[in-house]
């Protein structure tokens, strides 16, 4: 399971809860985690990867706000992909605006960006 391979970089400038969030999202994109899968409890996951329970709880909260998981009283945190595609596209657009502006400032060409997007997107379908 993906949770055994989660690696937290404690020297990174990126917050630990965001590293965890990102690895769960990548796990979904690479089909290591499926729609309907129950995630380990906050306590279990914190123990598995050696981090504070509040950090795991924050990562789960962010994923819930983003429509990636829901909290089920019987099963705990369960992966659910938000059905609101228009909202997801608008959210993606906002995130891409800053990334693309940064790329523009660094003189990265549109074709180079398209190539990167295609390469990354295709890697999710291969795994």
């Amino acid at each position: 399971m993906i949770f055994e391979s989660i690696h937290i970089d404690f020297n990174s400038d990126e917050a630990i809860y965001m590293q965890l969030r990102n690895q769960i999202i990548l796990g979904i994109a690479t089909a290591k985690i499926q729609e309907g899968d129950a995630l380990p409890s906050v306590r279990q996951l914190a123990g598995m990867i050696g981090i504070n329970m509040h950090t795991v709880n924050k990562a789960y909260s962010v994923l819930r706000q983003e429509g990636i998981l829901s909290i089920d009283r019987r099963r705990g945190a369960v992966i659910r992909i938000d059905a609101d595609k228009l909202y997801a596209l608008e959210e993606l657009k906002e995130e891409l605006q800053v990334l693309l502006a940064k790329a523009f400032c660094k003189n990265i060409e549109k074709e180079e960006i398209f190539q990167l997007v295609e390469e990354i997107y295709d890697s999710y379908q291969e795994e």
Side-chain angles (χ1 to χ4, degrees), residues 14-28:
E14 184 175 40
I16 293 172
Y17 78 93
M18 288 302 289
Q19 291 182 50
L20 179 57
R21 169 209 172 254
N22 293 344
Q23 289 190 39
I24 290 171
I25 289 172
L26 286 170
I28 295 166

Side-chain angles (χ1 to χ4, degrees), residues 39-47 51-57 60:
L39 301 181
S41 72
V42 168
R43 183 182 308 261
Q44 287 173 324
L45 188 54
I51 61 176
N52 189 294
M53 289 186 340
H54 296 291
T55 304
V56 175
N57 195 44
Y60 280 11

Side-chain angles (χ1 to χ4, degrees), residues 19-78:
Q19 291 182 50
L20 179 57
R21 169 209 172 254
N22 293 344
Q23 289 190 39
I24 290 171
I25 289 172
L26 286 170
I28 295 166
T30 57
K32 293 177 182 166
I33 305 174
Q34 304 286 322
E35 171 90 25
D37 284 354
L39 301 181
S41 72
V42 168
R43 183 182 308 261
Q44 287 173 324
L45 188 54
M48 276 187 235
I49 55 182
I51 61 176
N52 189 294
M53 289 186 340
H54 296 291
T55 304
V56 175
N57 195 44
K58 184 158 185 175
Y60 280 11
S61 292
V62 170
L63 289 165
R64 186 179 53 74
Q65 290 169 354
E66 295 174 334
I68 306 265
L69 66 81
S70 63
I71 305 299
D72 180 296
R73 290 185 187 266
R74 296 179 309 264
R75 297 183 61 209
V78 178

